[in-house]
Amino acid sequence: SGKQGQLCTGAFVGEQLWSVVKHFVERKQLSSALYALGALTEYYENDTDSTSTLYKTYFTTSIVQISLGDIVAAEKTYMEKHLQSDSYLPTDECRIAEDMIRAVKDFDSDKVESLKKERKVNNMDVFVRNLVMEITSGGKVGGIKSSKSKPKPTPAPAPKKPAPDAAADDDDDDDDKELEEAMADLGAELDGVDVGDDDVDEDDDEIDLT
């Protein structure tokens, strides 16, 4: 489709989407991270020059699904989607993802801990490695913001901070503004893209990926 073509040719879309994944994973907003990973997967599957990045995306998708406590979805995505790429099969990412899924299913804590020490895991992006380190033999990690949880009441507006804190506030505002701008740039390109995760509640987070 035309929109898919835009997604596959837009400059730096892959890097921007990876930054979005990083943002959500670091904040334990894993349902939104999974949604962004779906778009990122489609982007890299249409870019034959980005196989190593695609494998990283596959692996991260497996880890996020495990961390959400959905081992069934993790296994299904791995078997029905990731293994359709023949070139993914001999990679360390593929082997570790499969072993981690099996270890979590079997509640094999020794195997889980052993996989955390793999060199390939240690060479992953810090936010991916940190998520792997939080996985237990039961799968789900703590602190996840789930779309099924009840919304927290909105706190009353805080009084304006005195001048000494103004600089720090400006830095936080700049970070939020930068992310919002990146999301706005991606909005048109992501619109209508099938990310393969219909279960994600798009109201899960404050930032709407569509």
Side-chain angles (χ1 to χ4, degrees), residues 4-15:
Q4 183 176 353
Q6 281 186 340
L7 178 67
C8 296
T9 58
F12 307 114
V13 170
E15 291 86 345

Side-chain angles (χ1 to χ4, degrees), residues 16 26 49-50 53 63-64 82 99 149 158 169 176 183 185:
Q16 289 178 342
E26 289 179 339
D49 295 327
S50 299
T53 314
I63 295 303
V64 167
H82 300 170
D99 288 349
S149 60
D169 290 345
D176 292 340
M183 295 302 299
D185 291 340

Side-chain angles (χ1 to χ4, degrees), residues 21-140:
V21 173
K22 177 177 182 288
H23 170 85
F24 285 130
V25 169
E26 289 179 339
R27 288 155 180 78
K28 294 296 191 294
Q29 296 172 338
L30 298 190
S31 291
S32 292
L34 188 60
Y35 180 76
L37 282 163
L40 191 60
T41 296
E42 182 166 337
Y43 175 78
Y44 282 126
E45 282 178 342
N46 286 278
D47 184 355
T48 56
D49 295 327
S50 299
T51 53
S52 62
T53 314
L54 175 62
Y55 303 155
K56 178 175 70 172
T57 304
Y58 282 165
F59 177 81
T60 304
T61 299
S62 294
I63 295 303
V64 167
Q65 289 178 311
I66 292 171
S67 300
L68 279 166
D70 198 346
I71 193 65
V72 174
E75 185 172 37
K76 182 178 180 180
T77 302
Y78 173 79
M79 297 292 292
E80 297 182 3
K81 295 184 179 180
H82 300 170
L83 292 189
Q84 301 311 304
S85 172
D86 292 337
S87 58
Y88 183 55
L89 295 174
T91 66
D92 286 334
E93 290 92 339
C94 182
R95 173 181 58 82
I96 296 170
E98 180 177 1
D99 288 349
M100 185 66 81
I101 291 170
R102 183 182 298 114
V104 171
K105 281 184 63 178
D106 294 342
F107 293 92
D108 187 344
S109 58
D110 290 340
K111 183 63 174 178
V112 170
E113 294 306 314
S114 174
L115 291 169
K116 291 179 182 180
K117 299 175 184 177
E118 289 270 358
R119 177 175 297 181
K120 175 60 70 173
V121 172
N122 290 330
N123 290 336
M124 288 283 174
D125 288 40
V126 174
F127 76 94
V128 178
R129 182 171 71 244
N130 288 344
L131 192 61
V132 172
M133 295 304 169
E134 293 181 36
I135 293 176
T136 66
S137 58
K140 188 172 183 178

Side-chain angles (χ1 to χ4, degrees), residues 154-208:
T154 304
K160 208 165 188 179
K161 292 185 179 181
D165 292 331
D169 290 345
D170 288 344
D171 289 341
D172 291 341
D173 291 342
D174 288 344
D175 290 342
D176 292 340
K177 185 176 181 180
E178 182 177 347
L179 179 66
E180 289 176 3
E181 289 174 352
M183 295 302 299
D185 291 340
L186 290 171
E189 293 171 296
L190 293 179
D191 185 29
V193 174
D194 179 9
V195 298
D197 184 35
D198 296 335
D199 295 334
V200 174
D201 184 349
E202 294 182 18
D203 293 331
D204 180 26
D205 304 290
E206 296 177 358
I207 299 171
D208 186 354

